[in-house]
Amino acid sequence: MTRVLVTGSAGFIGSHVVEALEAHGHEVTGLDLRSGADVRDAALLARLLPGTDVVVHQAAKVGLGVDVADLPDYASINVYGTAVLLAAMAAHDVERLVLASSMVVYGEGAYDCARHGRVRPGPRSAEDMARGSFEPRCPRCGDEMALATIGEDAPTDPRNAYATTKLAQEHLAANWARETGGTAVALRYHNVYGPRMPRDTPYSGVAAIFRSALEAGRAPRVFEDGGQTRDFVHVRDVAEANVAALTGGAPGTLAVYNIASGEPHTVGELAAALAAQRGGQEPVTTGEYRMGDVRHIVAAPHRAEAELGFRARVGFAEGMKEFATAPPA
């Protein structure tokens, strides 16, 4: 039995992680802001951490945010909170960390140009987006490109406050591991969905936004042309990845893993699947866009399977059928 402290234990992903850990026979202590327990509270951590074997750090402010007014909260909760946690772990000899990271640290996905090979385009311009030109082009020649899967060794390129703070968490975890000899594993979640997903806030994921529209009798509004490609991974699979990560990594290092289904779909396909399962209105493609969104990002999930023994089990059709009618969070 492993004694595990889970931060963000009452949240969407954290609550599923707690259930999975307990199902595997581990002893779990939860810490969550919803119950007044703040990961930035060093005195609280000093009471909770002694005797802990592993910290599974899920607590975070999520989503793209609304505007720059969100920056202090992202920095305080995600960066400062992680720093306080790691300092407390060092003080109380907790030697293993599993960190909830995100695919947003990559920025835009990977592409192959017929002339220049593997390339990473920069952010799309407002001018291109406004005229409906959504596909990135080769940054060297301007030609069209073929989408490729992105592996954990790809350069990072965070493009919004959330992404920047998730990458900062990884760097802090790597610092902690090097300086203490601890073992850190960062799980880069791709687009997580499933029961208990938060809704009706500017920070909700796209699956929750679409489902909320359908529940209200409205058509899901699909931005751009609906062709954005993502990897939608079920929350129960993500929870099992956290269990697998309890024994991953190596002392003194940070190991990173894509946590994904390996089955990419477009945002338009997501909206259509949810509408079909609920019997709701057909999605409407609006051409609207958000600066900071990326066009395509598809994971290479092979490292997690090879090193952690993790492979997603819930298929897209099965997961969407459940999520479309799951009780609201």
Side-chain angles (χ1 to χ4, degrees):
M1 179 187 69
T2 303
R3 291 163 296 185
V4 185
L5 174 67
V6 178
T7 73
S9 58
F12 165 44
I13 298 175
S15 63
H16 286 276
V17 171
V18 169
E19 290 176 356
L21 288 166
E22 291 178 339
H24 284 269
H26 302 297
E27 180 182 312
V28 180
T29 299
L31 182 160
D32 197 279
L33 194 58
R34 293 166 180 80
S35 57
D38 194 327
V39 73
R40 295 166 290 185
D41 185 340
L44 173 64
L45 293 172
R47 296 195 299 271
L48 295 177
L49 284 172
T52 296
D53 299 309
V54 186
V55 171
V56 176
H57 185 29
Q58 304 290 321
K61 183 179 179 71
V62 301
L64 286 180
V66 177
D67 54 38
V68 293
D70 286 325
L71 288 174
D73 273 351
Y74 277 110
S76 178
I77 296 169
N78 296 359
V79 182
Y80 179 67
T82 299
V84 172
L85 175 64
L86 292 171
M89 289 173 63
H92 296 282
D93 299 318
V94 182
E95 298 180 349
R96 180 173 286 273
L97 171 73
V98 178
L99 171 68
S101 188
S102 172
M103 57 89 174
V104 295
V105 302
Y106 295 120
E108 190 64 63
Y111 298 83
D112 290 326
C113 171
R115 295 172 59 189
H116 297 107
R118 181 62 50 90
V119 293
R120 294 292 301 281
R124 296 176 292 172
S125 71
E127 293 77 15
D128 284 345
M129 301 279 271
R131 60 187 176 85
S133 179
F134 301 120
E135 292 291 341
R137 292 183 173 270
C138 175
R140 297 180 62 185
C141 66
D143 285 354
E144 294 181 357
M145 302 177 294
L147 177 62
T149 57
I150 196 161
E152 291 89 347
D153 295 328
T156 53
D157 183 19
R159 297 185 180 183
N160 55 61
Y162 175 61
T164 299
T165 59
K166 295 310 285 185
L167 185 58
Q169 286 182 320
E170 289 192 12
H171 288 317
L172 288 170
N175 296 155
W176 167 84
R178 284 192 297 270
E179 293 180 25
T180 67
T183 301
V185 176
L187 304 179
R188 290 176 175 170
Y189 302 158
H190 285 250
N191 288 67
V192 186
Y193 73 96
R196 304 177 210 153
M197 192 174 189
R199 59 177 191 165
D200 299 332
T201 84
Y203 308 95
S204 296
V206 66
I209 292 170
F210 290 162
R211 198 184 79 159
S212 293
L214 291 163
E215 288 174 346
R218 303 190 306 270
R221 295 176 61 84
V222 180
F223 279 17
E224 301 185 20
D225 59 2
Q228 311 94 298
T229 311
R230 300 288 188 272
D231 187 306
F232 299 99
V233 58
H234 196 279
V235 67
R236 286 196 299 274
D237 283 328
V238 170
E240 290 296 329
N242 278 269
V243 176
L246 293 184
T247 56
T253 65
L254 171 71
V256 298
Y257 298 96
N258 285 327
I259 301 302
S261 72
E263 184 184 349
H265 290 273
T266 67
V267 172
E269 288 171 342
L270 168 70
L274 288 173
Q277 291 295 340
R278 286 195 66 92
Q281 293 188 40
E282 290 291 318
V284 175
T285 303
T286 68
E288 296 171 89
Y289 58 89
R290 295 189 305 183
M291 299 308 298
D293 280 353
V294 299
R295 179 62 175 175
H296 304 295
I297 182 160
V298 176
H302 315 298
R303 181 185 290 180
E305 183 170 7
E307 298 184 11
L308 299 180
F310 166 76
R311 183 164 59 88
R313 304 290 180 181
V314 181
F316 183 77
E318 173 191 355
M320 288 298 146
K321 182 177 181 180
E322 176 195 24
F323 178 60
T325 56

